[in-house]
Amino acid sequence: MFLKPWSDLPARMQTDEVLKYYNILKKKSVALFFKRLFDIVVSAGMLIVLSPLFLLLAAAIKIDSRGSVFFRQVRVTRYGKEFRIFKFRTMVTDAEKIGAQVTTKGDARITRVGKVIRRFRLDEVSQLIDILRGTMTFVGTRPEVPKYVEQYTPSMLATLLLPAGVTSEASIFYKDEAALLDASEDIERTYVEEVLPCKMRYNLRAIENFSFWGEIKIMLRTVLAVCGKDYSQNGDEDKCKVEAR
């Protein structure tokens, strides 16, 4: 998972704001190597161990509603490359055509089985496939759809120096993001102008403090968060909105 030469980065990313984070990661090539090695070994092992769960989820989804087992939406990963993410489908077919591209807590598009799958975040288990392929990693900035990436500030583009992730510090703090958006009259505007900048503050801080063992800790905290442990945002929500813009 070594970095590309600076001159090979997309022109949009060759800015002073991104260079700051590029130089930080360039000094951590050993940690990046172990990060990719960990992704390959652990994702391959988990795919084998969890294969019965995959079959169970696939059967439940097919029985519950019409459509495919997986939701394959276009997302953006490292260096701005687009890919089709693997997620177990939790919404009705073509849900993105009949509503916003972000999901609220009471979203009517979510199926009965989908509600259970989302509650335990089992829809993201299938992203082990993306991790093994290299389009994603265990810990990193959540992959956004192209329309939101187009609105990234110069600093936000630094998050594209690494593959998109399944979890992150931002994901832990905003695990109830859908409930937050549910109260908004303009869901997409609230996400782009309020939620996304706040999440990006955590994502950029993660690059500044990047370490292999630090990411292992985030994975453990994610498990605890799914099990119900509450991680407060230390009352700095307003501050993060300003710093990430």
Side-chain angles (χ1 to χ4, degrees), residues 34-48 128 131-132 138:
F34 281 107
K35 175 180 173 68
R36 180 56 187 153
L37 181 62
F38 178 88
D39 283 348
I40 294 172
V41 174
V42 177
S43 63
M46 290 183 70
L47 280 169
I48 294 172
L128 288 167
I131 295 174
L132 187 60
F138 276 107

Side-chain angles (χ1 to χ4, degrees), residues 1-5 21-22 25-26 32 78-79 161-162:
M1 192 184 286
F2 298 111
L3 292 171
K4 281 185 176 181
Y21 297 95
Y22 180 89
L25 292 175
K26 192 173 182 180
L32 289 172
R78 197 178 197 188
Y79 306 130
L161 290 171
L162 295 173

